[in-house]
Amino acid sequence: MVTTLDDKKRSAIAMKLADMRETQNLIISNDQLLLSQVDDREIRERLSDMLKDDQKNLSILETSIVQYGVKSEPRDITLKLVEQVEKMMQDSELSLYDKISQHELLKHQQAMTGIIIHKAAQVVGADIDAALAPMNTVNFENRAHQEQLKGIMEIVGTRELTGKDPDQGLWARVQDSVAALTGVFGSVVSRSKDMTVIDIVKMDHRKVDTLFTEIENTDSPQKAQEYFGQLYKDLSAHAEAEEQTWYPTLRKYDDSAPGVAQAYDEQAEAKILLEQIKTLSPSSPEFKTRINQLKNLIQEHVRKEESNLLDKLKDHMSDEQLVELGKEFQLAKSRIQDETSRTSSAV
Ligand SMILES: [Fe+2]
Ligand SMILES: [Fe+2]
């Protein structure tokens, strides 16, 4: 049989993620526009903190999209909506209150989209949840920003109507709402620190672990096929990106490390197995046997990478260099994903 590795539900989530990235860019340009129109010192401080969070969250979103491994363009309607809001924000007829209120709506939409992606991920597969875990921070911060924007709206709105400030205690109330949200989102890992190549590679490894568990635990051949489709894409892009980035870097520093040469061989072996499994029916007994063989091979390979090779990078590189190499790894993976989706859609 010809195996197609496509999955509509995963593509639908990819489209929502692309919509979110588009909206995040709009949110950032709104932050900048509002900052240019506000004089109040306290409000300016809050807006500029939000801008910093939003910029950081855009990069988390971009990382998550690569980690997710399925890419999409945003919907046309999202692009239209972005254009409309941009126009509206430039409109001089609108008061500052109107503009902040529009911005708050956008934040609301963004927070809800993030939460819905999270819910959908739980339905479709635990591996998606693993890939999108960093987005918890984005969702939490968008909800917290919403509370702060409501506070700013109260001040600006009251001033526009009366020329006076609203009653005291407003920011304390905002603070309380944000604290209450922390309970809803649980312990949110702060991502203020940039991820190094070691963090990102390990995150990929955990996602692959989850995919193997999903394949083993499902009784449905269709589900097994979907999970394998994702595993195939993830492992191929991960291995190739390793061979383009940190493997050669490690070789440069430590050519005598026998582990690196072995790692190349193991990945070549895994690639052959992946191609074999791709031709098998997920309901055949051979599919299970081969998956098991692949799992053992990968687990051993990952164990060596994590206990020997990745640590060696630390002996030769500073934290900043490891972050830089992480970006290169991410970029290489993203490029490989794009090439793969182009060739598979051309077939
Ligand atoms: Fe790896
Ligand atoms: Fe590897």
Side-chain angles (χ1 to χ4, degrees), residues 62-116:
E62 279 165 350
T63 304
S64 298
I65 288 173
V66 179
Q67 195 75 19
Y68 179 53
V70 186
K71 285 194 185 158
S72 165
E73 292 299 319
R75 290 177 305 162
D76 285 345
I77 188 71
T78 306
L79 297 175
K80 266 189 207 151
L81 216 81
V82 166
E83 208 180 304
Q84 275 172 11
V85 175
E86 269 170 352
K87 254 194 216 135
M88 210 158 106
M89 296 296 282
Q90 300 288 348
D91 191 339
S92 56
E93 302 255 318
L94 292 182
S95 71
L96 186 59
Y97 174 83
D98 295 331
K99 288 180 185 175
I100 298 171
S101 141
Q102 178 57 50
H103 190 50
E104 195 265 338
L105 276 175
L106 210 60
K107 273 275 167 196
H108 173 80
Q109 192 193 328
Q110 187 77 330
M112 284 314 295
T113 307
I115 291 164
I116 288 182

Side-chain angles (χ1 to χ4, degrees), residues 205 238-239 242 246-247 267 301 305:
H205 291 165
H238 176 88
E242 289 188 320
W246 71 271
Y247 279 12
Q267 296 202 152
H301 175 74
E305 275 185 357

Side-chain angles (χ1 to χ4, degrees), residues 128-147:
I128 305 182
D129 231 15
L132 300 181
M135 276 194 38
N136 269 333
T137 314
V138 181
N139 295 340
F140 168 76
E141 287 186 356
N142 277 332
R143 280 293 287 109
H145 289 172
Q146 234 191 305
E147 294 307 315

